[in-house]
Amino acid sequence: MTVVNLVRGFGRRPGRSITEGVALVVAVLVAFPLYCMVLGAFEPAGEIESDRPGQWTLSPSPESFRRVFGQQEFGRYFVDSWVVAGSVVIVSALSAFLAATAVTRFRFRFRTTLLIMFLAAPMVPLEALAISLFFQLRDFGLLNTLGSLIPPHIAFSLPFAIWMPRGFVKGVPEALEEAAYTDGASRSRFLRQILFPLVLPGLVATSVFSFISAWNDFLFAKSFIISDTSQSTLPMALLVFFKPDDPDWGGVTAASTVMTIPVLVFFVLVQRRLVSGLGGAVKD
């Protein structure tokens, strides 16, 4: 019956069915590496390099996870990653909210140029700026500390974080702002109690981007934290298991699986805000 319904649906709406089919194929292609990662994390020792890729073992083993959580530094790396990612999300979201409000509500010289720069800035490869950032952070005395990871990620997250909520700010009627001022609300109160809740869906979307980029960062952690590895993040924990002569692929996949869980949890917590909009926010 299900196949018949699909065939009938394809006959009535071929364009939509083709789109859904393409989306399903893309989803499978995206999810397959995650499946292989989880599969490798539960593979018993010695089976991860067998000639049976993509087959679930009949005897899954948690041994790889035991090795991961048995590492003394892993817990510290986990906390450090939360510190870096949380700081980047909070600072970039608040800064983006104020900046998006400024470039949308106010008219000033070079405003268009500034908006174009917001779009052009993410086009510069991070690798091209790593050396100059290294010397700048060294001059400020931030090398080998978590403080060397937070400012670069905030700087690289801000262009997208400012551009994204800009549409939400622009969608708030100016009549609502004028009515708030007429009722005696100050500008700070309008921003805090009226505009911020309406722009929150856009800020959540940028927060997801900021969180993922800071959480998964390996380039800056490897470049700016050299001699003192006691202050580092989870991607650096993968190096404990990746040895050139004898790599522990089970440990690598298990650690990668553990790293992925907070990203999924964060997305689940904020996903309702991602799909909410301004509909119904302004009523008579």
Side-chain angles (χ1 to χ4, degrees), residues 73-87 145-146 149-150 214-215 225 228-235:
E73 300 85 0
F74 189 82
R76 182 174 64 249
Y77 288 167
F78 191 86
V79 174
D80 291 345
S81 290
W82 273 111
V83 172
V84 173
S87 301
T145 65
L146 293 180
L149 304 179
I150 297 175
W215 184 266
I225 299 180
D228 187 7
T229 57
S230 62
Q231 299 191 57
S232 192
T233 51
L234 274 179

Side-chain angles (χ1 to χ4, degrees), residues 143-210:
L143 289 181
N144 297 313
T145 65
L146 293 180
S148 64
L149 304 179
I150 297 175
H153 280 299
I154 293 175
F156 285 107
S157 299
L158 274 180
F160 176 78
I162 293 174
W163 189 269
M164 183 70 180
R166 190 172 155 270
F168 288 84
V169 177
K170 192 174 182 180
V172 177
E174 294 186 3
L176 180 63
E177 183 176 358
E178 295 174 357
Y181 295 153
T182 302
D183 292 340
S186 62
R187 183 176 296 274
S188 61
R189 185 178 180 182
F190 170 76
L191 293 176
R192 184 177 65 256
Q193 297 185 359
I194 300 177
L195 186 60
F196 183 79
L198 300 179
V199 181
L200 188 58
L203 295 177
V204 169
T206 61
S207 297
V208 173
F209 169 78
S210 302

Side-chain angles (χ1 to χ4, degrees), residues 21-35:
V22 172
L24 179 61
V25 172
V26 173
V28 171
L29 293 176
V30 172
F32 184 73
L34 298 177
Y35 163 74

Side-chain angles (χ1 to χ4, degrees), residues 23-186:
L24 179 61
V25 172
V26 173
V28 171
L29 293 176
V30 172
F32 184 73
L34 298 177
Y35 163 74
C36 293
M37 178 183 69
V38 177
L39 175 66
F42 286 97
E43 285 278 4
E47 292 191 14
I48 193 172
E49 298 182 7
S50 64
D51 56 353
R52 302 178 296 102
Q55 294 185 12
W56 184 264
T57 177
L58 297 178
S59 56
S61 172
E63 183 61 32
S64 297
F65 290 95
R66 292 196 185 101
R67 293 197 301 274
V68 169
F69 291 109
Q71 292 291 328
Q72 183 178 1
E73 300 85 0
F74 189 82
R76 182 174 64 249
Y77 288 167
F78 191 86
V79 174
D80 291 345
S81 290
W82 273 111
V83 172
V84 173
S87 301
V88 171
V89 167
I90 294 174
V91 175
S92 62
L94 294 179
S95 302
F97 169 64
L98 296 177
T101 303
V103 298
T104 303
R105 293 299 191 186
F106 301 105
R107 299 293 183 266
F108 50 88
R109 293 184 61 185
F110 305 112
R111 174 176 170 271
T112 304
T113 304
L114 183 63
L115 293 175
I116 294 176
M117 290 178 61
F118 288 155
L119 290 178
M123 299 180 185
V124 180
L126 299 181
E127 295 80 2
L129 301 176
I131 296 178
S132 59
L133 286 173
F134 176 87
F135 289 114
Q136 290 181 359
L137 294 171
R138 183 195 62 180
D139 295 339
F140 284 107
L142 294 177
L143 289 181
N144 297 313
T145 65
L146 293 180
S148 64
L149 304 179
I150 297 175
H153 280 299
I154 293 175
F156 285 107
S157 299
L158 274 180
F160 176 78
I162 293 174
W163 189 269
M164 183 70 180
R166 190 172 155 270
F168 288 84
V169 177
K170 192 174 182 180
V172 177
E174 294 186 3
L176 180 63
E177 183 176 358
E178 295 174 357
Y181 295 153
T182 302
D183 292 340
S186 62

